[in-house]
Amino acid sequence: MAVDLSTPLTWKSATGDAATMLDELQPNIVKAHVRDHLSVLFLGFGDAGEAKTFLKALAGLMKSAKKHLEEIEAFKTSQSGGTSYVGVGLTATGYGKLGIGTAPGDPSFQGGAKKAAGNLVDPPVESWDDAYQEPIDAVVLVGDASADATQAKRAEVLALLPGSVTVLGEETGSGLTNENGDGIEHFGYVDGRSQPLFLTEDVDTERDTTDGINEWDPSAPLSQVLVADSAAPDPNVHFGSYFVFRKLEQNVQLFKQAEQDLAARLGLKDEDAERAGAMLIGRFEDGTPLVVQSAAGSHHPVENDFSYDSDKLGQKCPFQAHIRKTNPRGSGGAEAPEAERLHLMARRGQTYGRRSDDPTAELPPAYRPTKDVGLLFMAFNSNLGNQFEFTQRLWANNPGFPITADGSKPGLDPVIGQGERPGSNYSRDWGRNNVQPIDAIPQAVTLKGGEYFFMPSLAFLRSL
Ligand code: HEM
């Protein structure tokens, strides 16, 4: 039976083509892989034959999605450690250099990230870090829970490189956590929490058992992340996924100052001042959704079962808050909720850069870094134009989204919006009708480079 892409997959009982699909799929796509320590290697190909031999050998260091899921189960029952994650993606130029004419056809992928930059209002390519200005042919990701394991596996990858494959650049990710042990990004907020879930086992674990009411359905069909691997021996069972990589530098000082300024403008003091930052993100630092309660401190694990139904006027969570912009949960007003869900992508980011301050400590903004730290934004898509690009261009960068009842414009996403920033409305009291217009929040996130890749099936790599 053909792989049913129209629903999430029950992996434990998968048989036939679905089982083959999982055996030949890279890990980290249908479910996130541990990558607290991460090395991202950008490669350029010279000789096609040598590049193929390298990719084929690299497949020997990789495990399948199926193996990854089995390792997670084994860890649950016996605490046995898993193996490192090795992932590989190719750009359209990479396929070209290998002489493969059947590369996946997504137009954004074919054009590459440099071509897309104008539409996304990205900073000019000439301002990107050097490594991203050249044509990139491939990316290799190596990740694990420990730095030692990651380094050891990275060394194995590098040992396979023939002379004609060059390392154009490398990024090193390392996770940050808060006092609850949850992963945070550099502004100090829990990140990576809300995800489309492609496995029914994961959807079942998320089901709300406290009140029995599910306000947000995190499930997504496989078609939202998997793409038939057109260059593989059998695209009916061999799948891959489009992978967006963006190096986003964070000026933490600027953002933390903007939080304080917003609190001062709205007269929010003491404990209530935390709400200023929460209004930019849509969650408090500990992950508590702002639409659910007016102060931090929700139960653990971090809540994700909420919608904006109780906040149609944006008086609890501003319309422009990062998570309301990037997932309006059916409330965007521009499309039917089912169509709106299709823009969600599987985020697999990791923070980069060392800092001398403690990101979780209460410190004045002046103690915070202004550069060299940020997010290696990574996400899997089945359609770049309708997922990553749609989110950045038509939601985050669009002052008129979401559509509001009174016709007022929310402004840009204060975190990732790119382009001219008008002012926005922010509510002085949570849930009350006293929104106040505030000058634009300064842009504290800057793109330093990026690329689009396709992460092919293992069968494709072995066939080279
Ligand atoms: C440095 C840049 C960024 C920072 C600091 C950041 C931060 C965050 C934080 C703190 C959350 C809340 C935690 C969660 O729900 O997982 C979040 C969620 C999210 N972010 Fe970002 N993010 C960044 C870049 C991006 C980009 C480039 C996109 C896409 C274009 C994006 C899309 C999303 C989405 C879709 C969610 C989940 C919303 C939901 O389902 O409720 N983020 N981000």
Side-chain angles (χ1 to χ4, degrees):
M1 211 184 77
V3 183
D4 183 2
L5 297 182
S6 70
T7 61
L9 174 74
T10 304
W11 75 267
K12 285 184 188 166
S13 57
T15 54
D17 287 352
T20 309
M21 181 276 287
L22 278 181
D23 277 332
E24 299 294 342
L25 184 72
Q26 295 194 35
N28 203 31
I29 298 174
V30 289
K31 188 181 177 94
H33 193 286
V34 172
R35 55 194 185 287
D36 301 291
H37 293 271
L38 180 73
S39 166
V40 187
L41 297 155
F42 297 101
L43 306 178
F45 296 155
D47 179 74
E50 282 194 3
K52 284 184 181 175
T53 307
F54 162 70
L55 290 168
K56 195 170 177 158
L58 189 66
L61 298 182
M62 297 168 68
K63 65 186 165 198
S64 67
K66 174 79 176 302
K67 175 87 187 329
H68 173 224
L69 295 168
E70 285 169 353
E71 284 183 0
I72 297 171
E73 284 308 297
F75 181 77
K76 279 189 207 153
T77 50
S78 65
Q79 302 291 301
S80 60
T83 56
S84 303
Y85 164 53
V86 179
V88 63
L90 295 169
T91 59
T93 46
Y95 277 101
K97 287 204 192 156
L98 296 177
I100 293 169
T102 49
D106 181 287
S108 300
F109 168 75
Q110 288 290 339
K114 296 177 187 77
K115 191 169 171 209
N119 263 340
L120 300 173
V121 202
D122 286 340
V125 174
E126 305 78 66
S127 73
W128 295 6
D129 286 354
D130 289 347
Y132 302 96
Q133 299 199 20
E134 305 174 46
I136 295 170
D137 295 322
V139 65
V140 176
L141 303 185
V142 182
D144 209 318
S146 81
D148 287 351
T150 305
Q151 280 310 314
K153 191 57 76 177
R154 174 182 173 278
E156 285 183 53
V157 171
L158 292 179
L160 295 178
L161 285 180
S164 68
V165 175
T166 42
V167 177
L168 305 170
E170 177 173 15
E171 302 293 348
T172 305
S174 57
L176 300 170
T177 50
N178 64 14
E179 53 278 11
N180 295 330
D182 293 316
I184 58 171
E185 49 69 45
H186 279 287
F187 294 149
Y189 293 80
V190 168
D191 198 7
R193 172 65 185 88
S194 178
Q195 299 284 2
L197 301 179
F198 306 104
L199 303 173
T200 60
E201 288 88 347
D202 289 347
V203 177
D204 289 344
T205 326
E206 282 274 287
R207 207 152 267 147
D208 192 339
T209 47
T210 48
D211 61 6
I213 303 166
N214 287 286
E215 294 186 58
W216 168 245
D217 172 11
S219 72
L222 288 177
S223 57
Q224 210 157 324
V225 74
L226 294 190
V227 176
D229 185 350
S230 49
D234 185 356
N236 290 312
V237 286
H238 301 148
F239 287 83
S241 187
Y242 293 106
F243 179 72
V244 182
F245 178 92
R246 283 165 78 82
K247 182 182 185 182
L248 298 171
E249 185 175 71
Q250 293 175 257
N251 183 336
V252 184
Q253 192 175 117
L254 187 64
F255 191 83
K256 288 290 160 189
Q257 188 61 53
E259 289 181 350
Q260 282 197 1
D261 293 348
L262 178 60
R265 285 291 307 277
L266 295 172
L268 308 181
K269 297 207 176 68
D270 307 321
E271 292 276 275
D272 211 22
E274 295 295 316
R275 196 155 52 81
M279 284 196 283
L280 303 179
I281 300 286
R283 292 182 184 263
F284 289 88
E285 290 189 357
D286 72 354
T288 305
L290 181 55
V291 72
V292 172
Q293 54 189 66
S294 60
S298 68
H299 58 267
H300 225 246
V302 174
E303 193 164 349
N304 196 39
D305 185 33
F306 63 91
S307 73
Y308 297 103
D309 288 358
S310 73
D311 188 29
K312 296 212 157 56
L313 301 175
Q315 294 167 353
K316 294 175 182 169
C317 178
F319 294 114
Q320 68 277 12
H322 177 58
I323 68 162
R324 194 164 178 168
K325 273 273 195 189
T326 57
N327 182 4
R329 299 181 184 233
S331 73
E335 295 170 281
E338 312 81 65
E340 195 185 73
R341 294 174 64 88
L342 297 177
H343 306 303
L344 300 178
M345 64 204 119
R347 292 176 301 128
R348 304 287 185 252
Q350 184 54 280
T351 47
Y352 74 88
R354 290 187 186 280
R355 48 198 283 190
S356 49
D357 63 316
D358 173 356
T360 63
E362 296 277 335
L363 289 171
Y367 287 78
R368 305 300 189 185
T370 57
K371 58 185 174 76
D372 298 333
V373 302
L375 181 69
L376 305 176
F377 177 83
M378 294 174 267
F380 288 105
N381 299 235
S382 58
N383 181 329
L384 291 164
N386 200 42
Q387 291 174 282
F388 163 67
E389 289 187 348
F390 190 102
T391 305
Q392 182 72 51
R393 196 163 68 86
L394 293 168
W395 284 354
N397 294 356
N398 176 0
F401 185 83
I403 293 168
T404 62
D406 65 2
S408 60
K409 294 197 169 193
L412 269 56
D413 178 329
V415 182
I416 62 161
Q418 301 186 136
E420 203 182 315
R421 295 185 160 213
S424 293
N425 289 332
Y426 289 90
S427 191
R428 226 171 318 128
D429 294 296
W430 186 83
R432 295 244 198 92
N433 181 21
N434 53 11
V435 291
Q436 193 173 310
I438 300 282
D439 289 345
I441 303 295
Q443 185 181 332
V445 169
T446 307
L447 178 77
K448 305 301 278 184
E451 196 44 279
Y452 296 146
F453 301 89
F454 185 74
M455 292 237 174
S457 61
L458 299 173
F460 163 79
L461 296 171
R462 284 196 308 266
S463 76
L464 288 172

